[in-house]
Amino acid sequence: MSHHHPGSRPHPPLTTHRRLEPGTVLRNGRSAAYQAIEAGAGEPHVVRDDFGTAAADPQGSGRPLLCLVHITDLQLADVQSPARFEFLNARYADPRYAEIVPVQRPQEALAVHAVDATIRTLGAVQGPATGLPVQLAVTTGDAIDNAQWNELQVFLSLFEGGVVTPDSGGPDYEGVQSPDWPGEVFWRPDGAGPDGLDLFRTEFGYPHHPGLLQRALREFTAVGLGLPWLSCFGNHEALDQGVGRQTPGLAAALTGGRKPTDLPPDFDHDQALELFTTRPEAFMAGPSRLVTPDAFRRPISRRDFVDAHLRAGSRPFGHGFSERNRLDGTAYYVHDTPAARFIALDTNCLAGGAAGCLDRDQARWLEARLGEVHSAYRGADGNEIQTGHDDRLVILFSHHGSGTLDNSRGTHSGPGGEPALSAADLVALLSRFPNVVLWLNGHTHTNAILAHRDPADPARGFWEVTTCAVADWPCQTRVVELVDHGEYLSIVTTMVDHDTPLGPASLETSDDLAALHRELAANVPWAVSVMAGTASDRNTELRVVPPFPLKRLPGA
């Protein structure tokens, strides 16, 4: 444990002290064992010198410039929404549904508690390299799951502090995890349904927790993050289940009183992804159940998303979004701190599809904002451009990263419908601006760190850091510290677990519900081992040659 002053709350253990992993088998299912979470040895920082700074081992600890936390992909879902098509999980083995499933997670009703525990933990975290408390939180989208107004209110209440209302519709839970819901592909914590036990109980050894859903959806008061945080627009804020375009038919279904339980019998499975993307209400045409309608489930637009942040308006005002964003209907902005300029991009394609895109208008805006914090940069023709501006480090953040900016529907800018930038175009643009040192993103729910070399000078470049989801195992956030070592800049990244029991003792406290969320997530049968990434994607020291003498920057 870190040292702390007597009487103060101890700092939560970081993954450098202990790493959580699936351990003792609690129950055996037919296909897999259900394991408890256990604490293993901590994971030291891996030094990554991909650019070959050839730096000696640091003399002393360096000069702290910044300590922030990266939070992404919370997927706070209205788990009773009429327009989430969870029944598609039954088609997990059909390749035509590969880009759609999973639509539902066994742990999702507990996500509010996992996020609340995460926020409470981060308030006490200190950066291991700088000893600084976290100064700023950067979120990179998919805070909510289904582009609904009530989900957005839950997200803002958790982060700002206030009453969190996870329930929707009527007084009783009316969703796919109730015992009387048709099908067997959903974990039913209350017990067997009409057709016996569900797949999660029989195949994967999932537990029996009667009363869990009722407890999970109870209203509670969140303390809030209590530090400045920046917001970001993701595909699940923009689209139905992160894929489907917002249509009038879908809007009517969202606030209506029918929830589909299966596809219509004559459904064209070959067109599933296209229909989901362009006419999601086609999935509402099959058998359905009556549920309690709720006007607060209404769909949100990009402007609604921005507007809600401007209303919440604490630190910084609008959480990065400005009045200009509200007027223009955009969701990209800059936020300046003494050490760095943060640039938020909006990589979402409102024409539908989960993948990202970047339109030419935004690219031109980005180029202008980058120029403002460079004394010199390379023009598109390769010649140096001198500006007379002061240098400042640049940290870019967006929902999608370089591996997922390939949405072919993204030709939505300008009268000629100019093609969107490809990921390669964006990386080439960023490479012309040497003060860009870091790009933070999410979307893939997987930890990954990539070095992007400047083609004109391979000893220089920037780091792309993708952080895993709070929604899925390993349910972590990432502390990012910038340290000036003179001849090189260190970007130190450290994964953080929420500070809750390893296993739930009861279902009474929010901490226990957060612990159960993590345990359930660790036992999900899909891609769990992949999402944590490798050691060199987690706790790292990423070195880069300083683009200008960093002593010009104020220290933290």
Side-chain angles (χ1 to χ4, degrees), residues 133-399:
V134 176
Q135 299 159 310
L136 176 72
V138 173
T139 68
T140 52
D142 287 7
I144 63 177
D145 190 65
N146 205 39
Q148 292 179 207
W149 175 255
N150 60 331
E151 293 175 340
L152 179 55
Q153 300 314 305
V154 164
F155 162 54
L156 291 172
S157 298
L158 283 165
F159 273 66
E160 294 287 284
V163 176
V164 179
T165 310
D167 203 0
S168 67
D172 298 317
Y173 170 78
E174 301 172 309
V176 297
Q177 290 183 274
S178 55
D180 60 344
W181 203 268
E184 52 162 17
V185 294
F186 310 112
W187 175 52
R188 298 193 174 105
D190 284 300
D195 309 319
L197 288 177
D198 60 84
L199 278 178
F200 279 87
R201 298 279 302 277
T202 56
E203 297 299 318
F204 309 114
Y206 267 59
H208 180 213
H209 284 307
L212 175 68
L213 294 162
Q214 202 182 348
R215 173 67 190 85
L217 297 176
R218 213 181 283 163
E219 202 168 81
F220 66 97
T221 301
V223 294
L225 190 53
L227 53 109
W229 60 277
L230 300 176
S231 199
C232 187
F233 191 59
N235 58 298
H236 281 262
E237 276 91 14
L239 303 163
D240 184 71
Q241 285 149 105
V243 177
R245 208 157 63 194
Q246 294 202 19
T247 62
L250 182 72
L254 271 167
T255 54
R258 297 203 83 92
K259 184 167 174 61
T261 57
D262 205 349
L263 290 169
D266 55 350
F267 192 81
D268 181 355
H269 299 291
D270 292 328
Q271 288 298 307
L273 185 59
E274 183 60 26
L275 281 167
F276 197 19
T277 306
T278 57
R279 280 202 303 116
E281 64 273 26
F283 289 78
M284 306 280 306
S288 64
R289 289 198 140 184
L290 289 173
V291 293
T292 310
D294 188 337
F296 289 111
R297 288 176 173 145
R298 65 181 175 83
I300 56 165
S301 64
R302 180 160 56 194
R303 193 177 259 112
D304 292 332
F305 184 75
V306 167
D307 191 54
H309 285 76
L310 291 169
R311 281 177 207 278
S314 72
R315 293 189 301 158
F317 178 73
H319 299 293
F321 297 124
S322 68
E323 205 53 57
R324 184 84 253 167
N325 291 128
R326 178 161 40 194
L327 292 170
D328 295 345
T330 56
Y332 45 87
Y333 61 84
V334 301
H335 173 77
D336 286 316
T337 68
R341 164 164 281 192
F342 288 82
I343 303 182
L345 299 181
D346 170 8
T347 53
N348 301 288
C349 183
L350 300 188
C357 63
L358 195 76
D359 63 75
R360 297 279 161 180
D361 284 344
Q362 191 175 171
R364 286 185 279 268
W365 172 90
L366 170 63
E367 193 161 356
R369 299 296 79 76
L370 289 168
E372 291 166 355
V373 287
H374 281 79
S375 59
Y377 63 90
R378 212 163 58 240
D381 59 3
N383 293 320
E384 186 174 79
I385 296 172
Q386 301 271 347
T387 67
H389 294 143
D390 289 337
D391 282 303
R392 189 179 289 206
L393 295 175
V394 177
I395 297 173
L396 194 74
F397 63 107
S398 61
H399 181 61

Side-chain angles (χ1 to χ4, degrees), residues 14-92:
L14 297 173
T15 55
T16 45
H17 303 132
R18 60 162 209 201
R19 188 154 176 262
L20 302 186
E21 45 210 15
T24 308
V25 172
L26 298 177
R27 277 172 307 283
N28 280 296
R30 282 198 293 250
S31 302
Y34 184 94
Q35 295 170 271
I37 301 290
E38 289 176 4
E43 192 164 65
H45 290 101
V46 175
V47 176
R48 288 191 56 176
D49 195 13
D50 298 37
F51 300 110
T53 59
D57 281 334
Q59 297 303 308
S61 54
R63 189 173 68 109
L65 297 175
L66 188 63
C67 177
L68 65 95
V69 64
H70 181 206
I71 308 171
T72 194
D73 296 88
L74 317 174
Q75 313 271 160
L76 293 159
D78 173 359
V79 296
Q80 302 166 85
S81 171
R84 286 179 84 226
F85 314 133
E86 299 101 335
F87 54 82
L88 296 176
N89 275 12
R91 304 186 183 272
Y92 63 90

Side-chain angles (χ1 to χ4, degrees), residues 55 101 325 338 342 360 421 462 477 530 549-550:
V101 297
N325 291 128
F342 288 82
R360 297 279 161 180
L421 269 76
F462 66 92
T477 52
V530 183
L550 297 178

